[in-house]
Amino acid sequence: MTASVEPNVVQHSELKRSITAKQLYFYVVGDVLGSGIYVLVGLVAAAVGGAFWMAFLAGVAIATITGLAYAELVTKYPQAAGASLYINKAFRSPVLTFFITICMLSANMAAVGSLAAGFTRYFSGLVGIPADAIWGATIVALVFVAIITAINLIGITESVVANVVMTFIELSGLLIVVIIGVIALVEGVNDPSVLLQFNTEGGIGNATLAVLAGVSLAFFAMTGFENAANVAEETIDPSHAFPRALIGGMLTAGVVYVLVSIAAALAVPISTLAGNTLLEVIRADLFFIPAAIMLVIFGIIAMIAISNTTLVTVVAQSRILYGMARENIVPAVFSKIHPTRRSPYVALIFGSAIVAALLVVGAAIRSGQGDLPAEEQLDIVDRLATITVVFLLFIYALVIVACLKLRGKDEGPDTYRANTVLLYLGILGNLAVLVYTLIDDPDALFWVAGLLAVGLVLFLLQNFSGKKHGHPLSGIEHIDSHPVDAPPANKEH
């Protein structure tokens, strides 16, 4: 994009800039915090052992480096579409851009499914739904997805405000865990040496593999920051606000993750925490409020935290699909917006339908595994989180490559510039975790293929309609001069 094009970008945008730097900061913090620590902490502990905080630390490092690339690119191109836009500008390949778009949509949909299943675990604990009530839990997850979709139909402005409120609530829950960890340390509940213990034997090599196994799950906890790029065009003064809000939000979330991980390891035995949620920390009954009361309070906080992340993820998914429909990349029906709420209702409903399909398929598979040992049965939270990580690690690595490839282009005095050495380390880190994840869980590839097949169907549908409206990928070639818009923001209240 040349300097002469940028004014036109602003003029052609239908978007109202209503998101402040503070709102964007909490948007990032709230999205990242709710997306993993409440849902996957037990799975990471099971993979690593008492030192599972190291997995979160490594995941935070890799994700933050990736965030540096996003910060640089957003200050150059403050438009919706995120990774799709950056990949197109760097490689000028319509096919690759379309593929990245489908990968991002698939990652968001898998993430929503994983979070919905995680929400159900906390909800089941509160109302007493038994663990073997597979279809009952699935119905709860489906209702949860429907409610989140309805909230997003209200409009982006209300969603961002709700996100800020829920961020404060979810932070309070994690603060409770940290306080319990301090109490456990003072009372000597667990030996602090547990923080350096791995559940493998045989030296540093196996310890490293244990951490890497944990990173492939813990990395899910840091995903979501990329969603902020899709509301960049709705942000006031993005060239200044975005780098500070994104990196600051990620570092804040990272510090909280590490502290919560250490606190959990100090409060309960790893064998108890493994495979479970943070409710096990509350059950230790170390807080000054009785555990029976705290289990209810913390369960509600956890569900709010998960809802917060899901809310933001669904916002991003619908805006990506809407934007690409505007550019003639997916069927035009996805560009339809509600006449009064100004939300992309077709894109929202489609995304919810795909998430529902993932949850139903998972329930059907689990229902047929009754004769298998519990550890061999499908864990839908784990599986969908893994799928999300597979897609995003590939996208993140390619975005960093795009950032390096676009150096020296479309830069202005306010353009943020990331450290080059760190960016190369980010590429290696993302690819290393991606390779290990695929080797460790090859069955995830079948689910990945299924989601990509949905993208292929969209392509074929657009190819058919393209006979009347032009080539299905022709819009990608003009992203430079016509931004991939998000839908108009609803009026503020």
Side-chain angles (χ1 to χ4, degrees), residues 20 62 70 74-75 143 152 160 179 184 248 267 342 364 368 373 405 412 418 420 435 465 484 490:
T20 66
I62 296 173
Y70 271 88
V74 167
T75 57
V143 171
N152 273 284
V160 172
I179 293 173
R342 312 303 294 168
K405 189 172 174 49
T420 303
V435 171
S465 65
V484 182
N490 189 36

Side-chain angles (χ1 to χ4, degrees), residues 51-320:
F52 71 94
W53 62 272
M54 294 184 183
F56 280 105
L57 182 61
V60 167
I62 296 173
T64 302
I65 292 174
T66 305
L68 295 176
Y70 271 88
E72 179 171 333
L73 290 166
V74 167
T75 57
K76 290 182 180 182
Y77 317 112
Q79 303 166 22
S84 300
L85 176 67
Y86 311 144
I87 299 303
N88 176 70
K89 285 184 173 292
F91 299 98
R92 297 295 178 182
S93 171
V95 174
L96 179 59
T97 302
F98 180 81
F99 180 71
I100 289 296
T101 302
I102 297 304
C103 284
M104 182 59 75
L105 287 171
S106 299
N108 283 346
M109 292 170 183
V112 171
S114 181
L115 292 166
F119 175 93
T120 301
R121 290 185 177 179
Y122 281 99
F123 183 83
S124 298
L126 285 179
V127 301
I129 298 177
D132 57 354
I134 298 173
W135 288 105
T138 302
I139 291 174
V140 172
L142 293 175
V143 171
F144 170 73
V145 172
I147 292 174
I148 291 296
T149 301
I151 291 174
N152 273 284
L153 284 171
I154 295 174
I156 180 67
T157 300
E158 290 92 331
S159 294
V160 172
V161 172
N163 176 272
V164 172
V165 174
M166 288 194 290
T167 297
F168 281 107
I169 296 174
E170 67 191 35
L171 278 172
S172 67
L174 298 179
L175 179 60
I176 290 172
V177 175
V178 173
I179 293 173
I180 291 175
V182 173
I183 295 173
L185 179 62
V186 173
E187 296 184 357
V189 174
N190 274 346
D191 191 325
S193 64
V194 70
L195 299 176
L196 299 177
Q197 293 177 0
F198 301 90
N199 60 4
T200 58
E201 298 178 359
I204 188 64
N206 285 339
T208 301
L209 289 177
V211 172
L212 193 56
V215 171
S216 66
L217 285 171
F219 196 83
F220 178 83
M222 286 302 296
T223 61
F225 67 87
E226 74 285 345
N227 292 334
N230 296 302
V231 295
E233 204 171 354
E234 296 165 86
T235 302
I236 300 171
D237 191 16
S239 63
H240 290 95
F242 199 90
R244 294 196 298 268
L246 180 62
I247 303 306
M250 294 180 69
L251 289 177
T252 299
V255 170
V256 172
Y257 275 162
V258 173
L259 290 177
V260 169
S261 301
I262 292 174
L266 292 173
V268 296
I270 298 302
S271 59
T272 300
L273 183 62
N276 293 307
T277 67
L278 285 174
L279 286 176
E280 298 304 321
V281 177
I282 305 300
R283 286 194 178 96
D285 201 12
L286 298 174
F287 204 56
F288 58 86
I289 299 176
I293 298 175
M294 283 305 302
L295 283 172
V296 176
I297 295 174
F298 190 84
I300 294 174
I301 291 175
M303 288 189 291
I304 290 175
I306 296 169
S307 300
N308 188 24
T309 303
T310 310
L311 180 71
V312 177
T313 306
V314 171
V315 167
Q317 168 262 307
S318 63
R319 268 64 181 177
I320 296 172

